[in-house]
Amino acid sequence: MRNSNIFITILGITALLFTSCKEEKASRIPFEVKTSMFDQNQKNDLGMKTPKGLETFTIFKPTDSTDQFSNGAVMIAFKDQLYCQWQSSAKDEDSEDTWVAYSSSTDGKHWSSPMILSSSLEDGISTSGGWWVSGDSLVAYINTWPSKVLPEGGFAYYKTSTDGIHWSEKKPVLMSDGSAMQGVFEQDPHTLPNGRIISAAHFQPGLVVAPIYTDDPKGLSGWKRANFSNISIKKDVSREIEPSWFLKENGNAVMVFRDQKSSHHSLASVSEDDGENWSTPVITDMPDSRSKQSAGNLPNGVAFLVNNPVQDKKRTPLAITLSLNGSRFDEAFVLRKTDDIQPLQYEGKYKRPGYHYPKSFVWKQHLYVSYTTNKEDVQYTKIPLSSLNIE
């Protein structure tokens, strides 16, 4: 009888420990995904529906007499006008002639010819770093990559404008100690409810990603590198790169990363203290083509993630996945189908069919998602927020 009681007690303790381990493991994963939303056998749309009222527009289309490579398209609204910046080159990705172009529009349908936001360097290249709006000022972030910096890495700069035409001189983005940021700025800064701005940067030496934050409402200075541990660093590049982030219903921030190790799932990390400390990233159930993505929140608090939710390197289709509370993503829509894609017009290094590097923002009751198609056409898709209501 005594041995039986001991055996039962041991079983009870074992079950308790097993349950505790399962709960602890689950608590370390920032969010769950209803993976059955994505039928990987249906290559055109993964079995997803298209949101009502969706529209797609072209900002720039290459010709024989223009640059033929584009990537890193990012949009913003400023003083009732739309702006888009992207990196541009004659033919190849990250070639020595790479510069930052931008275009503007009053109606979203007709866009100006590409203008120079930042020229290529004499000894390196310039790439797009995204936007910020502070009061009467439009901030353009620009990343520079001097060829003499080894291992490969860069620096974050900014320009400001009050009219979207005339720009200040390029100045370095500053850390909280007044030093220039020794890294390239990621394109997805957002604010917490308390006004703090959270983004990420890929720091030297090499490209080692870390969340960053500042309480400077202009987003120009006061940046701090958060307490964050990378999973691994290989050939001077961290496994997790090119993140964006959203806010959960409980107030925690979740940063989502591309996985350079090609698990074809998103990595994610969580912060419970306004971006100052982050958990070590883990693999989530979110399928991903191993590309840049865009996360955020709709005005009603719904969390979203825009990416190519496929389990290979093909960057089609383009989709948005939604969560009421940021803890479970269980509804998804297709934004651009595989069969919708236009033919590749020009050959170039690293160019291939697909909807590349989406970025997003909300304006006038719509979600705007910008990207480059085939790394040559600069396009965006506009979705009415009313079509993204979930329960």
Side-chain angles (χ1 to χ4, degrees):
M1 188 68 167
R2 181 183 175 189
N3 290 338
S4 298
N5 288 337
I6 292 173
F7 180 72
I8 293 171
T9 301
I10 291 173
L11 282 178
I13 293 173
T14 302
L16 186 62
L17 288 173
F18 179 76
T19 303
S20 177
C21 287
K22 282 186 66 178
E23 290 175 351
E24 183 182 354
K25 182 179 178 181
S27 68
R28 292 199 301 264
I29 300 175
F31 58 85
E32 297 178 345
V33 179
K34 182 183 175 183
T35 56
S36 60
M37 295 183 293
F38 311 114
D39 185 347
Q40 300 294 333
N41 294 317
Q42 298 191 48
K43 300 300 183 183
N44 184 35
D45 57 13
L46 303 182
M48 295 177 288
K49 296 180 179 179
T50 302
K52 293 181 180 179
L54 175 149
E55 297 178 280
T56 294
F57 301 93
T58 298
I59 296 171
F60 169 76
K61 186 175 183 64
T63 67
D64 292 348
S65 59
T66 68
D67 278 0
Q68 293 162 7
F69 180 92
S70 301
N71 205 16
V74 194
M75 290 178 67
I76 197 69
F78 176 67
K79 293 186 176 178
D80 222 34
Q81 284 213 131
L82 289 167
Y83 293 84
C84 182
Q85 63 165 284
W86 67 94
Q87 61 197 63
S88 180
S89 56
K91 181 181 178 182
D92 299 323
E93 183 167 351
D94 294 341
S95 56
E96 61 184 12
D97 62 334
T98 302
W99 57 291
V100 182
Y102 83 104
S103 182
S104 63
S105 173
T106 56
D107 61 5
K109 300 177 182 179
H110 306 91
W111 289 80
S112 66
S113 297
M115 299 173 280
I116 298 174
L117 191 56
S118 181
S119 301
S120 59
L121 310 180
E122 290 185 6
D123 60 345
I125 66 174
S126 296
T127 62
S128 59
W131 304 101
W132 189 250
V133 174
S134 176
D136 198 45
S137 182
L138 176 62
V139 178
Y141 295 109
I142 299 157
N143 293 316
T144 64
W145 305 71
S147 56
K148 61 184 179 182
V149 173
L150 296 172
E152 183 184 30
F155 302 87
Y157 287 84
Y158 70 88
K159 288 183 174 181
T160 61
S161 175
T162 58
D163 59 8
I165 300 173
H166 303 91
W167 295 89
S168 68
E169 292 296 316
K170 188 165 60 179
K171 297 179 181 179
V173 177
L174 300 179
M175 303 297 287
S176 59
D177 63 0
S179 64
M181 184 179 289
Q182 306 287 302
V184 293
F185 194 85
E186 194 47 59
Q187 300 162 325
D188 254 348
H190 302 311
T191 57
L192 291 169
N194 64 10
R196 172 171 287 178
I197 307 171
I198 294 179
S199 187
H202 298 79
F203 287 94
Q204 302 177 31
L207 296 169
V208 179
V209 78
I212 56 177
Y213 62 94
T214 182
D215 294 313
D216 170 20
K218 296 180 180 180
L220 309 178
S221 62
W223 287 97
K224 295 182 180 180
R225 186 172 179 170
N227 182 24
F228 175 78
S229 297
N230 301 98
I231 300 175
S232 63
I233 299 172
K234 183 179 180 181
K235 295 182 179 179
D236 306 305
V237 179
S238 56
R239 175 175 174 176
E240 55 282 276
I241 63 171
E242 297 177 344
S244 56
W245 70 277
F246 65 86
L247 198 64
K248 298 179 75 169
E249 186 178 55
N250 65 5
N252 292 344
V254 176
M255 193 163 281
V256 184
F257 303 83
R258 164 180 171 170
D259 183 5
Q260 276 297 88
K261 200 174 179 180
S262 296
S263 68
H264 294 298
H265 286 85
S266 297
L267 303 174
S269 172
V270 64
S271 173
E272 300 177 354
D273 58 2
D274 295 341
E276 296 184 19
N277 295 277
W278 294 79
S279 63
T280 301
V282 295
I283 298 175
T284 71
D285 289 332
M286 187 68 206
D288 186 69
S289 65
R290 205 191 81 164
S291 177
K292 188 171 286 193
Q293 28 57 43
S294 185
N297 293 87
L298 302 179
N300 61 1
V302 168
F304 69 85
L305 179 63
V306 178
N307 74 334
N308 314 111
V310 294
Q311 293 177 304
D312 54 43
K313 291 185 178 181
K314 295 177 182 177
R315 294 175 179 172
T316 63
L318 183 67
I320 182 169
T321 310
L322 304 169
S323 172
L324 271 176
N325 56 15
S327 294
R328 177 173 171 80
F329 285 81
D330 53 13
E331 187 150 1
F333 297 94
V334 64
L335 303 181
R336 291 292 303 271
K337 299 179 181 180
T338 300
D339 292 351
D340 289 343
I341 202 164
Q342 59 265 41
L344 183 70
Q345 300 176 75
Y346 302 98
E347 294 299 320
K349 186 177 181 181
Y350 301 134
K351 287 181 70 173
R352 55 192 173 95
Y355 307 114
H356 300 271
Y357 284 16
K359 287 298 164 189
S360 59
F361 79 104
V362 175
W363 187 54
K364 290 188 174 181
Q365 300 303 309
H366 288 81
L367 178 69
Y368 290 74
V369 179
S370 56
Y371 47 90
T372 60
T373 305
N374 305 331
K375 293 188 178 180
E376 55 187 20
D377 295 74
V378 180
Q379 297 187 296
Y380 77 93
T381 296
K382 175 182 174 183
I383 313 105
L385 296 181
S386 58
S387 297
L388 299 176
N389 285 334
I390 61 174
E391 297 180 358

